Amino acid sequence: MGKIVGAALVSHHPGLMQCEEFRRLQGAGEDSDLIAGYARLRQKIEAAQPDVVMIFDSHWFTTGYHLVDAGAHYSGTYLSDEMPWYLHGVPYDYRGLPALAVAIEDVSREMRGYHRAISHPDLGRQYPTINLVKQLRLEGAGLPVVTVSSCQNCEWPQFLDSGTVIGEAIRRSGLRVLLLASGALSHRFNGIDWKPMHPRIFHESNVSRPENIASDKQAIELFKQGRHDLILERWDEDYRRKPWEAFGAHYLQMLGALGGASCRARGEQLSDYENARGTGNVHIWFDTVEPTRKVQA
């Protein structure tokens, strides 16, 4: 029987891919603690000993289906069309795991879900996947990576349903799977002419709005308590309105795989809560996860 051996909400923001010298310049002499947080997360991953890493990519927007990347191998040089002046020339070379992607589609058909496995050789990469592959050194570890999209014509309960399908496919797979929800919490950008409130650009006071900071910190405390049910209860009136990156698809799909509202996995904060162009970013590790429950079709 397969199992989820760990899960994390992880920041991927492109500023972390800049050189350390420039990051320290933006940080008034200090580096982003999200960089040190990646090292802490690498230790967690090594201890969990997964067979495969699944990344819920908050930039891979799809329409009509939750797509699961079923490619066997990925290699190339990444160029961001969003920020090409510094996020360019990033080489990548890592494996996929087609059997898991196909298994998710099979379970989805059985459960009347909306998942498709896609293995087109020209399918592009997104930096929420590439940045984690590089920062977490998944290439060197030899771990295969399976990426899942954020379907943009979904209501938030349908992301939980997507995760339920994925969790059931993992349970049947015999694999040890690590889940990474790649994205921010509140995701409102500062204007192009914005002036920093704090000289250290990464500092939390530079997040776009005070109410977003308060909401993000409330969510972080609920993560620590394992009260995902309370986050879901407040979703419509709070977290959906801020909103979270990709309207929270990355977190909701991960949570669905962990059991949804019944999940009591407690979060461990592995980095400071930081700003990135107004968005709220943090690394949270969920170490104690409920066994994936069997769901009847």
Side-chain angles (χ1 to χ4, degrees):
M1 180 181 293
K3 66 182 298 187
I4 296 169
V5 296
L9 177 69
V10 189
S11 174
H12 62 241
H13 81 77
L16 301 173
M17 297 295 285
Q18 297 177 106
C19 68
E20 181 179 349
E21 180 181 5
F22 191 75
R23 293 196 310 264
R24 288 187 178 277
L25 181 64
Q26 289 190 313
E30 298 180 47
D31 203 350
S32 165
D33 192 57
L34 292 167
I35 294 294
Y38 282 131
R40 300 173 192 124
L41 182 52
R42 288 196 298 270
Q43 293 177 342
K44 296 286 189 181
I45 294 172
E46 183 178 357
Q49 298 184 319
D51 298 318
V52 57
V53 175
M54 178 172 289
I55 298 178
F56 298 99
D57 190 314
S58 55
H59 280 215
W60 185 19
F61 292 114
T62 55
T63 307
Y65 288 96
H66 308 286
L67 297 187
V68 187
D69 203 328
H73 185 257
Y74 310 100
S75 63
T77 303
Y78 180 73
L79 167 67
S80 167
D81 56 1
E82 181 183 356
M83 297 178 181
W85 59 93
Y86 68 81
L87 190 49
H88 62 87
V90 181
Y92 60 88
D93 190 343
Y94 64 96
R95 294 187 294 131
L97 192 59
L100 180 56
V102 172
I104 291 169
E105 179 174 328
D106 289 344
V107 172
S108 181
R109 291 181 187 278
E110 179 184 320
M111 297 174 64
R112 300 179 183 176
Y114 298 91
H115 298 72
R116 282 194 173 185
I118 299 294
S119 59
H120 197 290
D122 295 328
L123 186 64
R125 306 289 89 199
Q126 304 293 333
Y127 69 71
T129 292
I130 294 298
N131 288 8
L132 295 196
V133 166
K134 304 304 289 189
Q135 293 285 7
L136 298 177
R137 302 175 186 172
L138 301 179
E139 295 162 303
L143 284 170
V145 174
V146 174
T147 298
V148 179
S149 77
S150 298
C151 182
Q152 62 184 342
N153 60 319
C154 288
E155 299 299 327
W156 68 264
Q158 293 168 320
F159 290 120
L160 286 174
D161 293 342
S162 169
T164 299
V165 169
I166 289 168
E168 175 65 6
I170 290 171
R171 188 196 68 81
R172 299 182 190 182
S173 71
L175 295 167
R176 296 172 58 84
V177 182
L178 178 82
L179 306 179
L180 299 178
S182 182
L185 298 180
S186 64
H187 200 251
R188 179 183 175 88
F189 291 111
N190 289 322
I192 196 169
D193 58 351
W194 165 79
K195 304 300 181 187
M197 298 283 291
H198 191 283
R200 188 170 184 268
I201 299 299
F202 303 126
H203 195 272
E204 66 180 50
S205 63
N206 288 323
V207 171
S208 58
R209 292 178 172 180
E211 57 266 35
N212 285 13
I213 298 171
S215 176
D216 287 349
K217 288 191 169 185
Q218 177 191 64
I220 290 169
E221 288 307 309
L222 291 174
F223 290 152
K224 292 177 180 179
Q225 297 168 28
R227 294 309 304 269
H228 304 276
D229 57 326
L230 296 182
I231 289 178
L232 296 181
E233 285 180 11
R234 301 174 187 182
W235 195 268
D236 282 324
E237 65 269 20
D238 192 351
Y239 308 120
R240 172 63 180 82
R241 293 177 182 274
K242 292 303 182 270
W244 285 11
E245 185 164 13
F247 300 107
H250 54 311
Y251 165 72
L252 292 168
Q253 286 176 294
M254 178 185 74
L255 181 62
L258 296 174
S262 65
C263 175
R264 291 295 181 270
R266 293 179 180 269
E268 178 183 352
Q269 189 170 344
L270 296 185
S271 75
D272 292 342
Y273 169 70
E274 293 190 347
N275 161 68
R277 292 187 181 267
T279 69
N281 291 260
V282 69
H283 302 325
I284 303 285
W285 171 261
F286 300 99
D287 193 26
T288 306
V289 297
E290 302 277 342
T292 306
R293 67 179 186 273
K294 184 173 182 178
V295 180
Q296 297 297 324

